[in-house]
C-alpha cells in the first residue's frame, strides 16, 4: 500500500470518529429533551396568542352585513376586541324569550389558539402535530443555538422547524386533514394558515331531526361560530306545526350550545307553495339565509357560510380546514356518505353537495340567497365574473373528500318509524309521487318493514354494500359515543326479525 493511500484511510478514520462524536452528543441532547415536555406549554400560552390576534384583527376588513355592496365599507378597519367568548348575543338588546327570533348576534374572532407558534415563525396546527416530537426538536434546536449561536446552518435548518404531523394530517403546518389532502382542491400547495381564523356560519332548516341536530352540534360545535337555525310554524306542505325546536331551546334541551344558536322563525307560507312544493322548499332556504345573515353583526368578507339540510352533517376536520386557511377556492362541495333510515343501510358512492362559500361570494354572486349556492350554476350568475376578477384568481369548485373519502354524512329518513310517518305527512307538495298521500304507505307496520329491508316506498329493495359500525366514518362521533341512546340509527332495529 502506498503511503498516500494509507494517509487517506487515516483521514477517513478521523472523520468517522468526529461524526460518531457529534452523534453521541446529539443523542444525549435528544434524550434530555424527552424529559422536558413542559416546554410545550410555553409555546401554546394563550397570552402570546391574544397579542398576535389583536395585531391582526386590526388589519382585517370588517363589513356590516347590510352594506355588502358599498365599497367604502369594505375598507373600514375593524376594531374588534378579542374576548374570551366566541361571539355573543348583542348585550344592548337582551330580548325576552318571546322575541327569540329578533335577537342579533355579534360575530367575534375565535381566540382559540389552534396553532403552536415557534420562535422562528413556523406555525403548526396543534391537533395535527405530534407534540412530543415537536417539543423534542425544539429543545434540541435551542441547545444547538446555545452551544453555537452563530451557526447559520442550525438557525435556518428546515428539518428542525418543520412540524412533525400525526397520522391523518398533512402539509408543512400539519393543518391539512386527509379529507382535504385527497380532495380535488387544485391549489393544495398554496394554502397557508391564517393568523386569525375565519368565522364559520352554519345555516340549517329544522323540522323534527332533533337527534341529527345533536349530532351536528357535537360534531361542529367547536369550529362553527354561529348556527342559524330556522323553524316554521308551517310544514313544507302548508299545515300548521308546533314550534318544537323553540320549545327545546327554552326548556334547556340545547343549553350546551344555546350561546351559538341564532333562532329564525318563518311565520308565513309562501304564495303558491301549496300548489308547487318546490316553491315552499326553496323559500325555506331563502328566508333562512336572508333573515339569518341580516341579524349577524361584524360579518367579514372572508367568513365562511355553510348551508346544509338537517340530514347533512359535514365532518368537523374539513370545516376546521376552511376556518384556518387561506388559498382554497370556492364554491365548496362536500362528499357525504349516503345512507337510508340509519347509518346501517349505506348506499353506493357519495353525495356531493355544494354547501359552502365565503360571505363575499354569498352576497356578490348568490345575492345573499343560500338556495342559489346549492345549485350548480354559479358560473352563469350575473355577479360571478366580476367577483372572480375581484379575487384575482380563477374560481373552480372543489369538494372536500372524494368519492372514496367521506367528508360528512347524509342520512336520509333517519328517524324512528313515527318520525318517518311525520316526515311523510309534512313533506312538500312536489317530488312526486308524494308517498304521504297513500294511506297504506303511512302505516307504521309498513314503515317498519321498509326499515328492516332497506326497501323504498315504490316497492324496490336496492342493493347495499356491506357496512360495519366499526368502519371509518360510519357515523358522527357523538352518536357512536352514545351508542345505546342512538342505537336505532346505528344498527337495524328490526334486523333480528329477518330470516
Ligand atoms: C304562524 O305564526 C304567525 C305569527 O305568529 C301567525 O300569524 C300564523 O297564523 C301562524 N300560522 C300557523 C299555521 O300557526
Ligand atoms: C322540551 O321540549 C320538547 C318539545 O316540546 C319535549 O319533547 C321535551 O321533553 C322537553 N324537555 C324537557 C326537559 O322539558
Ligand atoms: C377586473 O379587474 C381589473 C382591475 O383589478 C379591472 O381593471 C377590470 O375592469 C376588471 N374586469 C371586469 C370584467 O370586471
Amino acid at each position: 500500500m502506498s503511503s498516500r493511500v494509507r494517509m487517506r484511510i487515516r483521514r477517513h478514520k478521523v472523520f468517522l470518529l468526529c461524526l460518531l462524536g457529534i452523534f453521541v452528543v446529539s443523542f444525549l441532547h435528544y434524550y434530555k429533551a424527552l424529559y422536558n415536555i413542559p416546554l410545550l406549554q410555553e409555546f401554546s400560552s394563550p397570552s402570546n396568542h391574544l397579542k398576535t390576534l389583536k395585531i391582526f384583527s386590526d388589519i382585517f376588513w370588517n363589513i356590516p352585513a347590510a352594506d355588502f355592496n358599498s365599497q367604502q365599507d369594505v375598507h373600514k378597519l375593524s376594531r374588534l376586541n378579542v374576548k374570551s367568548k366566541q361571539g355573543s348575543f348583542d348585550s344592548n338588546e337582551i330580548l325576552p324569550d318571546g322575541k327569540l327570533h329578533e335577537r342579533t348576534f355579534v360575530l367575534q374572532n375565535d381566540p382559540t389558539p389552534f396553532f403552536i407558534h415557534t420562535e422562528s415563525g413556523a406555525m403548526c396546527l396543534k391537533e395535527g402535530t405530534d407534540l412530543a416530537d415537536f417539543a423534542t426538536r425544539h429543545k434540541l434546536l435551542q441547545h444547538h443555538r446555545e452551544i453555537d449561536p452563530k451557526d447559520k446552518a442550525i438557525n435556518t435548518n428546515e428539518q428542525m422547524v418543520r412540524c412533525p404531523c400525526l397520522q391523518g394530517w398533512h402539509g408543512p403546518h400539519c393543518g391539512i386533514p386527509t379529507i382535504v389532502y385527497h380532495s380535488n382542491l387544485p391549489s393544495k400547495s398554496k394554502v397557508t394558515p391564517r393568523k386569525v381564523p375565519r368565522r364559520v356560519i352554519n345555516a340549517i332548516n329544522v323540522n323534527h331531526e332533533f337527534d341529527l341536530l345533536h349530532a351536528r352540534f357535537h360534531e361542529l360545535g367547536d369550529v362553527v361560530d354561529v348556527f342559524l337555525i330556522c323553524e316554521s310554524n308551517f310544514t313544507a306542505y302548508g299545515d300548521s306545526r308546533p314550534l318544537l325546536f323553540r320549545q327545546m331551546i327554552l326548556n334547556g334541551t340545547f343549553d350546551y350550545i344555546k350561546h351559538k344558536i341564532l333562532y329564525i322563525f318563518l311565520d308565513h307560507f309562501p304564495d303558491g307553495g301549496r300548489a308547487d312544493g318546490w316553491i315552499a322548499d326553496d323559500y325555506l332556504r331563502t328566508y333562512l339565509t336572508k333573515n339569518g345573515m341580516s341579524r349577524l353583526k361584524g360579518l367579514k368578507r372572508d367568513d365562511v357560510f355553510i348551508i346544509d339540510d338537517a340530514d347533512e352533517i359535514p365532518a368537523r376536520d374539513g370545516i376546521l380546514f376552511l376556518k384556518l386557511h387561506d388559498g382554497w377556492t370556492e364554491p365548496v362541495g362536500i362528499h357525504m356518505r349516503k345512507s337510508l333510515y340509519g347509518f346501517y343501510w349505506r348506499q353506493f358512492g357519495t353525495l356531493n353537495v355544494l354547501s359552502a362559500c365565503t360571505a363575499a361570494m354569498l352576497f356578490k354572486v348568490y345575492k345573499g340567497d343560500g338556495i342559489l349556492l346549492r345549485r350548480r350554476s354559479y358560473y352563469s350568475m350575473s355577479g360571478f365574473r366580476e367577483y372572480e376578477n375581484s379575487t384575482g384568481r380563477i374560481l373552480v369548485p372543489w369538494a372536500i373528500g372524494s368519492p372514496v373519502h367521506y367528508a360528512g354524512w347524509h342520512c336520509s329518513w333517519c328517524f324512528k318509524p313515527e318520525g318517518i310517518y311525520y316526515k311523510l305527512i309534512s313533506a312538500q307538495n312536489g317530488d312526486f309521487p308524494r308517498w304521504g298521500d297513500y294511506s297504506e304507505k303511512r302505516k307504521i307496520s309498513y314503515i317498519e318493514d321498509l326499515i328492516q329491508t332497506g326497501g323504498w316506498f315504490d316497492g324496490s329493495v336496492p342493493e347495499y354494500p356491506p357496512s360495519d359500525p366499526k368502519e371509518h366514518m360510519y357515523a358522527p362521533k357523538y352518536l357512536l359515543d352514545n351508542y345505546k341512546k342512538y342505537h336505532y340509527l346505528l344498527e337495524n332495529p328490526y334486523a333480528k326479525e329477518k330470516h
Side-chain angles (χ1 to χ4, degrees):
M1 232 188 277
S2 79
S3 66
R4 232 171 125 198
V5 172
R6 226 177 283 148
M7 229 165 84
R8 209 187 264 169
I9 289 176
R10 203 180 301 150
R11 242 190 261 151
H12 273 265
K13 269 189 193 157
V14 171
F15 181 68
L16 277 175
L17 270 175
C18 284
L19 265 185
L20 191 69
I22 291 169
F23 176 78
V24 169
V25 170
S26 300
F27 180 77
L28 284 177
H29 281 309
Y30 180 81
Y31 192 73
K32 223 173 118 192
L34 271 180
Y35 292 94
N36 271 304
I37 306 293
L39 168 86
L40 265 184
Q41 269 126 35
E42 195 183 304
F43 280 116
S44 54
S45 97
S47 66
N48 285 343
H49 289 274
L50 284 183
K51 251 183 269 161
T52 332
L53 277 175
K54 234 187 182 156
I55 296 164
F56 277 89
S57 71
D58 280 352
I59 50 174
F60 275 79
W61 312 129
N62 178 30
I63 316 174
D67 314 308
F68 233 90
N69 297 317
S70 150
Q71 279 305 77
Q72 277 146 337
D73 282 314
V74 172
H75 297 290
K76 212 189 273 172
L77 288 179
S78 98
R79 299 260 168 230
L80 280 179
N81 292 317
V82 176
K83 289 190 189 144
S84 58
K85 267 220 280 179
Q86 204 181 318
S88 59
F89 292 99
D90 198 336
S91 54
N92 291 331
E93 38 177 290
I94 299 279
L95 294 167
D97 288 344
K99 305 225 167 177
L100 207 55
H101 58 286
E102 289 176 23
R103 288 180 180 169
T104 51
F105 189 92
V106 184
L107 284 165
Q108 271 150 13
N109 289 340
D110 185 343
T112 309
F114 289 102
F115 290 97
I116 300 171
H117 296 252
T118 68
E119 289 160 48
S120 52
M123 289 167 80
C124 307
L125 182 70
K126 263 191 202 169
E127 63 190 82
T129 303
D130 184 341
L131 295 177
D133 188 11
F134 180 84
T136 308
R137 289 191 196 196
H138 281 269
K139 196 75 189 168
L140 190 56
L141 186 62
Q142 270 188 338
H143 272 281
H144 279 297
R145 283 202 187 114
E146 278 158 24
I147 295 163
D148 188 358
K150 287 196 187 103
D151 189 337
K152 283 211 181 105
I154 290 172
N155 284 325
T156 59
N157 191 330
E158 279 285 314
Q159 287 295 337
M160 301 297 288
V161 294
R162 201 199 290 153
C163 314
C165 298
L166 290 171
Q167 198 189 353
W169 295 90
H170 311 264
H173 313 282
C174 304
I176 303 180
T178 298
I179 51 178
V180 172
Y181 191 69
H182 290 291
S183 74
N184 62 348
L185 176 63
S187 51
K188 239 170 276 169
S189 59
K190 293 199 190 91
V191 297
T192 52
R194 292 169 59 96
K195 298 289 193 293
V196 177
R198 298 170 195 267
R199 284 82 63 86
V200 179
I201 301 148
N202 188 200
I204 318 111
N205 284 293
V206 69
N207 193 19
H208 62 300
E209 303 86 353
F210 300 119
D211 285 343
L212 292 183
L213 208 52
H214 281 299
R216 167 186 308 276
F217 290 150
H218 283 91
E219 178 74 21
L220 299 174
D222 74 322
V223 296
V224 165
D225 294 71
V226 63
F227 292 98
L228 309 179
I229 314 265
C230 179
E231 179 176 49
S232 176
N233 60 350
F234 291 90
T235 68
Y237 192 57
D239 294 338
S240 136
R241 68 175 284 282
L243 297 172
L244 292 174
F245 181 60
R246 189 177 182 284
Q247 289 166 20
M248 291 166 108
I249 290 185
L250 297 178
N251 78 10
T253 306
F254 291 102
D255 272 1
Y256 67 94
I257 195 75
K258 203 166 119 180
H259 60 289
K260 288 191 176 188
I261 297 174
L262 189 66
Y263 181 76
I264 296 155
F265 173 40
L266 173 56
D267 68 357
H268 54 278
F269 194 68
D271 292 340
R274 189 84 194 219
D276 181 356
W278 292 113
I279 293 181
D281 204 54
D282 285 2
Y283 187 74
L284 278 167
R285 270 78 159 258
T286 305
Y287 189 83
L288 160 69
T289 323
K290 299 243 165 163
N291 182 283
M293 295 304 276
S294 74
R295 289 164 53 203
L296 294 181
K297 293 189 173 177
L299 189 71
K300 293 181 189 176
R301 57 177 298 126
D302 54 6
D303 289 342
V304 184
F305 173 79
I306 304 166
I307 186 166
D308 295 311
D309 281 352
D311 60 4
E312 300 166 353
I313 304 177
R316 171 191 176 273
D317 292 351
I319 307 307
L320 180 73
F321 169 81
L322 298 180
K323 184 181 175 95
L324 300 182
H325 292 85
D326 281 330
W328 42 266
T329 75
E330 53 185 334
V332 183
I334 298 173
H335 281 281
M336 287 173 287
R337 181 189 191 273
K338 292 192 292 183
S339 62
L340 185 66
Y341 305 136
F343 295 90
Y344 42 91
W345 289 126
R346 176 164 77 94
Q347 298 166 320
F348 284 100
T350 59
L351 181 71
N352 175 6
V353 179
L354 278 181
S355 329
C357 67
T358 59
M361 185 169 187
L362 178 67
F363 284 96
K364 295 266 168 69
V365 179
Y366 299 118
K367 306 174 178 75
D369 186 350
I371 185 67
L372 298 177
L373 163 61
R374 289 177 67 93
R375 299 197 183 125
R376 301 203 150 255
S377 53
Y378 58 91
Y379 45 82
S380 62
M381 304 224 32
S382 58
F384 180 69
R385 293 295 158 208
E386 197 189 322
Y387 173 70
E388 186 177 47
N389 192 15
S390 77
T391 64
R393 50 194 301 175
I394 294 168
L395 294 183
V396 284
W398 65 289
I400 306 175
S402 78
V404 292
H405 292 90
Y406 300 135
W409 301 266
H410 177 235
C411 198
S412 291
W413 298 80
C414 292
F415 299 101
K416 291 177 178 161
E418 303 74 35
I420 292 179
Y421 169 84
Y422 190 70
K423 185 176 163 89
L424 280 173
I425 59 166
S426 56
Q428 46 131 320
N429 192 29
D431 208 2
F432 295 107
R434 186 177 178 274
W435 301 113
D437 293 337
Y438 302 82
S439 64
E440 71 275 18
K441 309 274 181 191
R442 296 197 301 255
K443 281 203 189 113
I444 294 292
S445 59
Y446 175 76
I447 294 171
E448 285 172 354
D449 286 347
L450 291 185
I451 295 175
Q452 185 192 353
T453 60
W456 187 238
F457 293 95
D458 63 2
S460 67
V461 181
E463 209 181 297
Y464 297 93
S467 75
D468 178 345
K470 289 189 190 67
E471 78 193 26
H472 185 56
M473 293 294 288
Y474 181 77
K477 185 170 178 298
Y478 174 73
L479 300 180
L480 293 169
D481 286 349
N482 295 276
Y483 205 92
K484 266 206 184 126
K485 186 170 179 193
Y486 298 108
H487 188 268
Y488 81 99
L489 289 173
L490 301 168
E491 276 178 43
N492 190 338
Y494 306 102
K496 281 195 195 92
E497 296 162 30
K498 232 174 171 177
H499 22 257

